[in-house]
């Protein structure tokens, strides 16, 4: 069992991306400008001294009703499914972010992190999905069994950062050209995208760390500009993204989806997973758009407990004298309407 697990993680490695050297790609690997690489000793220190917060069972977890088929016009309906998976409905389009419906996230159905609560929407009750945004190749954000089901049911268009499109292609997914930070892409007359910088890392196996890119996205629709952060630590890139949005055709960010979970212990997680306090600072850097928390409540990856992200977000908002309704903690399966 141990040998087979090791072989799976080795052979799950991504093919190496090939492209020109940039300020975040050295010709072999991607990197976060200005951020030193985390040491393997830090990983070992964390694993040997874990202090996990409580995650009580959720036997009566709410599962939402079948969503509307389409939301026309310039309203936006946002439904939290789990973790970083959201259904975004606006301008007659149905968009999914980092979709995960599997019971475990990992190389196989039996090797990986088990979910702590069911998805907030049933996959077989989704409306027709047009576009899927993939922020990077980690298993908790890019789940091939889910992608395979989406391809079979809807044949959506998959958008990926550099080096990641091979994964949806493995299950016959349609992909756009791969995007680098600051690239733009016009999907159709209702949706354009801008790829944004994130502070994170990538790998799917033991030997492929940083060989594909990680990112977030600005969505430009008739609603305005929506920002999906993906996975990121806190850094100066949030101010850059605010300016990137301001110069776009749809203007400053109107709605931001910002991570708030998997942040403890902060001495180890902070470079790649923003804490609730860091998310509030990102909210300020983005010029205080309506914000919604993501990346919490489904998979216990960091040491923070089930309720810590929401509790610490509330404390950080209070400390900065920001109304809690400006940065919401969503409930799985409950549609949120933004005008």
């Amino acid at each position: 069992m141990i040998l087979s697990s090791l072989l799976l993680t080795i052979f799950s490695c991504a093919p190496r991306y090939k492209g020109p050297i940039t300020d975040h790609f050295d010709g072999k690997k991607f990197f976060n400008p200005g951020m030193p690489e985390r040491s393997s000793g830090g990983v070992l220190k964390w694993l040997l001294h874990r202090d996990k917060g409580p995650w009580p069972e959720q036997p009566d977890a709410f599962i939402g009703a079948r969503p509307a088929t389409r939301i026309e016009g310039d309203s936006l309906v946002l439904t939290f499914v789990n973790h970083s998976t959201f259904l975004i409905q606006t301008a007659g389009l149905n968009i999914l972010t980092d979709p995960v419906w599997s019971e475990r996230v990992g190389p196989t159905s039996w090797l990986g992190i088990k979910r702590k609560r069911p998805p907030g929407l049933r996959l077989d009750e989704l409306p027709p999905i047009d576009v899927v945004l993939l922020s990077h190749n980690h298993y908790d954000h890019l789940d091939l069994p889910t992608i395979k089901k989406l391809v079979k049911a809807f044949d959506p268009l998959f958008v990926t950062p550099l080096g990641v499109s091979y994964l949806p292609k493995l299950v016959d997914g349609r992909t756009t050209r791969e995007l680098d930070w600051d690239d733009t892409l016009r999907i159709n007359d209702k949706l354009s995208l801008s790829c944004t910088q994130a502070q994170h890392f990538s790998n799917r196996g033991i030997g492929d760390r940083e060989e594909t890119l990680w990112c977030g996205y600005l969505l430009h629709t008739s609603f305005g500009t929506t920002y999906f952060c993906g996975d990121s630590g806190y850094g100066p890139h949030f101010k850059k993204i605010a300016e990137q949005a301001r110069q776009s055709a749809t203007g400053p960010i109107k709605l931001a989806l910002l991570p708030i979970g998997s942040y403890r212990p902060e001495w180890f997680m902070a470079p790649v997973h923003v804490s609730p306090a860091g998310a509030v600072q990102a909210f300020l850097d983005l010029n205080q758009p309506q914000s919604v928390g993501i990346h919490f409540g489904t998979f216990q990856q960091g040491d923070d407990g089930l309720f810590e992200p929401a509790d610490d977000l509330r404390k950080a908002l209070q400390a900065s004298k920001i109304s809690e309704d400006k940065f919401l903690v969503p409930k799985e399966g409950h549609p949120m309407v933004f005008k």
Side-chain angles (χ1 to χ4, degrees):
M1 179 70 76
I2 294 175
L3 178 60
S4 62
S5 299
L6 179 62
L7 290 173
L8 276 168
T9 53
I10 292 173
F11 288 115
S12 297
C13 292
R16 175 167 289 179
Y17 169 78
K18 296 179 181 180
I21 294 174
T22 69
D23 66 349
H24 54 280
F25 180 66
D26 65 10
K28 293 183 178 180
K29 290 181 179 291
F30 293 94
F31 59 92
N32 296 293
M35 189 190 92
E37 186 173 349
R38 295 191 302 171
S39 69
S40 57
V43 177
L44 183 60
K45 177 182 175 183
W46 170 52
L47 292 176
L48 290 175
H49 300 90
R50 294 202 68 172
D51 180 26
K52 292 184 180 182
W55 277 64
E57 294 294 326
Q58 303 173 66
D60 300 316
F62 178 81
I63 298 177
R66 183 187 295 269
T69 302
R70 301 279 177 186
I71 301 295
E72 301 293 343
D74 56 7
S75 292
L76 184 147
V77 177
L78 181 71
T79 308
F80 181 38
V81 178
N82 52 209
H83 201 53
S84 294
T85 307
F86 280 81
L87 172 64
I88 302 173
Q89 297 181 281
T90 188
L93 295 169
N94 295 321
I95 302 163
L96 281 178
T97 63
D98 289 353
V100 176
W101 265 266
S102 292
E103 281 300 306
R104 289 184 182 271
V105 288
T108 73
S109 60
W110 47 267
L111 178 65
I113 301 173
K114 192 176 188 303
R115 68 168 52 249
K116 296 287 190 174
R117 61 151 292 139
L121 294 176
R122 295 178 175 86
L123 192 144
D124 61 3
E125 292 186 347
L126 288 175
I129 302 300
D130 304 301
V131 178
V132 177
L133 305 180
L134 300 173
S135 65
H136 62 297
N137 72 357
H138 283 160
Y139 290 103
D140 59 314
H141 293 258
L142 200 160
D143 177 52
L144 272 183
T146 295
I147 288 178
K148 186 174 182 179
K149 292 175 183 177
L150 292 172
V151 169
K152 183 177 180 181
F154 309 115
D155 192 27
L157 187 64
F158 293 88
V159 183
T160 73
L162 297 177
V164 178
S165 68
Y166 82 97
L167 282 162
K169 286 177 181 176
L170 284 176
V171 290
D172 298 321
R174 293 187 301 120
T175 63
T176 67
R177 64 180 173 87
E178 296 179 336
L179 300 181
D180 198 357
W181 296 344
D182 301 329
D183 280 353
T184 59
L185 178 69
R186 183 178 176 84
I187 301 296
N188 53 36
D189 60 353
K190 296 180 178 180
L191 174 65
S192 294
L193 299 170
S194 301
C195 184
T196 62
Q197 182 178 347
Q199 186 173 288
H200 201 55
F201 68 106
S202 64
N203 72 298
R204 279 179 84 85
I206 291 176
D208 64 341
R209 189 178 174 91
E210 268 85 303
E211 292 188 358
T212 65
L213 187 59
W214 47 95
C215 75
Y217 296 98
L218 295 172
L219 291 69
H220 309 289
T221 68
S222 57
F223 167 77
T225 302
T226 302
Y227 172 44
F228 170 63
C229 179
D231 233 352
S232 182
Y234 177 76
H237 57 285
F238 287 110
K239 289 183 178 179
K240 177 184 173 184
I241 291 166
E243 181 61 20
Q244 185 178 355
R246 191 185 68 80
Q247 295 181 6
S248 72
T250 53
I253 296 169
K254 195 171 182 180
L255 175 65
L257 279 58
L258 299 174
I260 61 171
S262 301
Y263 59 97
R264 282 210 307 110
E266 290 194 48
W267 65 263
F268 179 66
M269 290 294 188
V272 294
H273 284 150
V274 69
S275 68
V280 170
Q281 185 58 56
F283 161 84
L284 294 170
D285 291 351
L286 296 169
N287 298 318
Q288 304 186 43
Q290 174 63 60
S291 294
V292 175
I294 70 174
H295 201 266
F296 73 98
T298 306
F299 303 106
Q300 190 172 23
Q301 297 166 302
D303 288 349
D304 36 302
L306 176 61
F307 304 114
E308 282 184 80
D311 291 343
D312 285 352
L313 177 63
R314 191 175 303 109
K315 293 174 185 175
L317 291 169
Q318 291 172 352
S320 296
K321 296 183 169 61
I322 299 168
S323 173
E324 291 180 22
D325 62 6
K326 286 290 292 178
F327 199 142
L328 302 171
V329 177
K331 296 180 179 179
E332 291 90 341
H334 293 269
M336 307 167 71
V337 181
F338 300 96
K339 299 292 186 181

